[in-house]
Amino acid sequence: MRPVVALVGRPNVGKSTLFNRLTRSRDAIVHDVPGVTRDRHYGEGRAGGRSFIAIDTGGLEPGAAEGIFFEMARQAEQAIAEADAVIFVVDARSGVASADREIAARLRKLKSRLWLAVNKTEGMPADSATAEFHELGLGAPAAISAAHGEGVRELMEAVLADFPEEREEEEKDPGHPRVAVVGRPNVGKSTLVNALVGEERVIAFDKPGTTRDPIEVPFERAGRRYTLIDTAGLRRRGKTGEGAEFFSIVKALQAIEAANVAVLMLDAPEGVTEQDAHVAGYVLERGRAVVIAVNKWDAAGKEARERMKSELAWKLGFLGFADSHLISAKEGKGLAGLMRSVDAAYAAAMARLSTPKVTRALIAAVERQAPPKTGLVRPKLRYAHQGGINPPRIIIHGNALDRVPDSYKRYLEGFFRHAFKLAGTPMRIEFRTGRNPYAKKKA
């Protein structure tokens, strides 16, 4: 499993800037006003060839008892509970604040690995920039500049050094489908797992301190073996007597990593939420096959059903290749069709395509619709072959392929998907332009 690294600290110390640096993105909004980041934000980080899951959080305000800053602090505490390592970010320009001392006192009680990053040290000697932060009692502070990248690589090498090296994923058929059941709390994930297995195999709640790893449940159906990966939500800590559970996106991400197929469960009466769309986007990003299960359909009224159909097309339109099923996990309705789609999605994700067939399909696609010209040059697509599975990856060779527009790439994805009946799985199209033998002779 990839380690999970949470970035915490008081508002406006540069957590989102560091998050964008680690994930090489602009996903987190950066603004010179405290309190811009309110919810937890997740991204795939890389450092020196190592990958991890990064969590950006809103500012911790220890004294906040209510309002938006209280909610932001609650989100940050949830991120800390999910994390394997925590980076406490402080501001070298403003020095040690009273809030830093309070946050440090709380962090020292954690069992997670803890690192102190002194941000905004550009143009300052490292020793003088970090000197006063030793009083926080969190070990040797690391001087960094998230905006300029100074010291970030060294910090992350130290953070990730205690975690085992990530093994290269093997692109081979493991023998049977590994199916992750993901979704928000109370959408029926554990109920679905129990219904498929035929017994109450998964408990529907987590006790504090229980392992956060996904639960693997092997079972057989119609003579075929499967491994189901259930992801129950984390309970809200410190709230006895309150049944509401928080949605742990980290659990869903780790389950998706370990699976071939993801069953994305939605709640028909509630519709498609931002959290649903976030997990769906990660499924697509990781290239996993997916089947959508709209649960509690029997409990949804006419208006809710119409809204759900609309939101499937609108909010989850990027999963248009995936089959959707209207089910009731509690009543056991619609499960046979759901599992048929799981089998089909798995077969598509693991499909082996011969080079002659892929090349013939490419030629047919070009004959039907040639790539558009850019200026006087028209890209030439010569031949193609399969470059991997889970998801299927098609590598196309030719000339001037860097000029192929994204719209034509989407056309090719659709053509290959139809030609080889690859329902339920995303695809990857890669272009490789041939070397020009006359390029060095031009002078």
Side-chain angles (χ1 to χ4, degrees), residues 71-116:
E71 293 298 321
M72 289 161 57
R74 195 158 55 84
Q75 290 284 332
E77 289 174 356
Q78 179 67 15
I80 292 170
E82 295 173 347
D84 300 303
V86 176
I87 299 178
F88 177 26
V89 184
V90 293
D91 188 338
R93 304 287 173 175
S94 61
V96 178
S98 59
D100 292 329
R101 296 186 181 92
E102 292 184 52
I103 295 169
R106 293 164 65 178
L107 293 178
R108 282 197 295 270
K109 300 176 183 178
L110 294 177
K111 295 181 180 179
S112 301
R113 297 175 174 90
L114 184 61
W115 302 85
L116 178 61

Side-chain angles (χ1 to χ4, degrees), residues 46-208:
R46 295 199 67 84
R50 301 284 300 279
S51 61
F52 56 95
I53 296 173
I55 313 178
D56 182 29
T57 66
L60 275 169
E61 287 281 12
E66 58 184 7
I68 188 63
F69 283 102
F70 174 76
E71 293 298 321
M72 289 161 57
R74 195 158 55 84
Q75 290 284 332
E77 289 174 356
Q78 179 67 15
I80 292 170
E82 295 173 347
D84 300 303
V86 176
I87 299 178
F88 177 26
V89 184
V90 293
D91 188 338
R93 304 287 173 175
S94 61
V96 178
S98 59
D100 292 329
R101 296 186 181 92
E102 292 184 52
I103 295 169
R106 293 164 65 178
L107 293 178
R108 282 197 295 270
K109 300 176 183 178
L110 294 177
K111 295 181 180 179
S112 301
R113 297 175 174 90
L114 184 61
W115 302 85
L116 178 61
V118 183
N119 192 27
K120 307 181 185 179
T121 62
E122 59 272 15
M124 303 170 64
D127 291 342
S128 61
T130 61
E132 64 177 306
F133 292 95
H134 284 271
E135 73 168 85
L136 297 177
L138 299 176
I144 70 168
S145 171
H148 297 86
E150 298 170 6
V152 174
R153 180 175 61 83
E154 292 80 4
L155 170 66
M156 294 311 301
E157 286 178 354
V159 171
L160 299 174
D162 293 334
F163 296 99
E165 291 280 348
E166 184 182 4
R167 295 180 180 179
E168 291 292 329
E169 293 185 13
E170 295 184 359
E171 288 190 325
K172 63 181 182 180
D173 189 331
H176 65 277
R178 294 174 56 82
V179 184
V181 183
V182 297
R184 293 178 289 111
N186 300 322
V187 294
K189 301 185 300 298
S190 296
T191 304
L192 175 62
V193 172
N194 291 334
L196 291 173
V197 175
E199 61 180 281
E200 192 168 335
R201 185 67 178 273
V202 181
I203 300 173
F205 64 90
D206 291 329
K207 293 181 179 179

Side-chain angles (χ1 to χ4, degrees), residues 381-419:
L381 286 62
R382 300 191 181 279
Y383 69 96
H385 62 89
Q386 186 174 12
I389 60 173
N390 196 31
R393 193 166 77 250
I394 304 296
I395 299 175
I396 299 174
H397 298 260
N399 299 107
L401 299 187
D402 56 332
R403 303 185 181 217
V404 176
D406 289 341
S407 58
Y408 193 77
K409 186 176 181 180
R410 289 192 295 270
Y411 159 72
L412 290 176
E413 288 178 5
F415 193 94
F416 284 126
R417 188 185 305 283
H418 178 75

